[in-house]
Amino acid sequence: TSIWRSYPGRSYGAYATVTLGWESMVYLELTGRNDWSGILEHEKVTHFYPGASLSWLASETFKENLPEWVTLLKMRGSYAVTGHGIGQPVNLDSYGISGNVWGSSAMGTIGGNLVDANIKPELSITKELGVDLGFFQNRISANFTIYQKAHINQIQNLPVVASSGFGSMLANMGNVTSDGIEASLTVVPVRNRDWTWSVTGNAFFNK
């Protein structure tokens, strides 16, 4: 019978966010997350994931000039990075006897996983630009967003030759990017003290 061993991993994370506002019109939010993983010195890695969003309430800036039926006019944009690394010891090998034989020779085992020495963390990067609109005290509201989502450095187990002693190697295999547009429209036909009736429609395009 084979003897399998598990090896401990250790990871830490820290997250921070800062929100700044100016004259109740412009808002900036900054975020950052840092992950540390690994136990042995040569395994320790650190990854930083930043994010930022900026919004402008144009309806506040130009409230003296806009028609009364314009309730909201907001521009916004954001950039965000999320992801993850391996988080476990890499290329941590152990050797043993499986209990099986090949002819008259005992068969050995290799524990651990084969990992590309140049592996990078898997990342998701999202960029967005949008506008939010409200009319007649938000009886009619709409929002439009264009975005790009990139999934880069995807991590997968890729097959390797059997003579290496491993069945696969953990490595980066490729990137995928998608672009799209999203839109929604909400109409509130009835709104009073007792109840509210709203109807919302959505549309999107992605490639």
Side-chain angles (χ1 to χ4, degrees):
T1 59
S2 299
I3 298 176
W4 297 95
R5 297 180 176 87
S6 61
Y7 298 93
R10 181 180 299 168
S11 61
Y12 302 93
Y15 178 83
T17 180
V18 176
T19 302
L20 304 173
W22 180 74
E23 296 291 336
S24 298
M25 291 183 291
V26 180
Y27 296 91
L28 173 65
E29 182 175 11
L30 302 175
T31 62
R33 190 184 104 219
N34 203 93
D35 292 342
W36 296 267
S37 61
I39 298 178
L40 302 180
E41 189 62 35
H42 71 280
E43 295 169 346
K44 290 182 179 178
V45 292
T46 179
H47 306 299
F48 179 67
Y49 307 107
S53 65
L54 179 66
S55 61
W56 171 38
L57 288 171
S59 52
E60 288 294 321
T61 305
F62 303 113
K63 61 183 177 182
E64 301 298 332
N65 301 315
L66 291 174
E68 291 185 0
W69 49 270
V70 177
T71 308
L72 174 67
L73 175 57
K74 177 182 177 181
M75 311 293 185
R76 52 185 167 78
S78 65
Y79 173 87
V81 179
T82 60
H84 61 85
I86 301 174
Q88 294 291 335
V90 297
N91 294 338
L92 183 58
D93 300 336
S94 63
Y95 304 90
I97 303 299
S98 70
N100 299 318
V101 296
W102 179 266
S104 60
S105 301
M107 297 180 63
T109 61
I110 301 177
N113 298 310
L114 185 61
V115 179
D116 184 354
N118 298 314
I119 196 169
K120 299 176 181 179
E122 188 171 334
L123 301 176
S124 293
I125 301 175
T126 303
K127 304 172 186 177
E128 289 188 357
L129 289 174
V131 57
D132 298 329
L133 304 169
F135 307 105
F136 305 106
Q137 299 302 311
N138 290 323
R139 285 296 188 98
I140 301 175
S141 59
N143 64 70
F144 303 90
T145 303
I146 59 174
Y147 64 85
Q148 181 184 78
K149 296 181 180 180
H151 194 187
I152 65 175
N153 301 331
Q154 295 183 81
I155 298 176
Q156 294 288 338
N157 281 302
L158 304 180
V160 295
V161 296
S163 59
S164 67
F166 297 90
S168 62
M169 178 176 68
L170 199 64
N172 301 117
M173 64 166 292
N175 306 326
V176 176
T177 301
S178 63
D179 300 287
I181 301 173
E182 294 181 348
S184 70
L185 176 65
T186 299
V187 179
V188 184
V190 178
R191 182 171 62 195
N192 55 44
R193 295 177 57 183
D194 298 321
W195 62 291
T196 299
W197 173 34
S198 64
V199 180
T200 300
N202 298 282
F204 66 92
F205 171 77
N206 186 76
K207 67 174 183 178

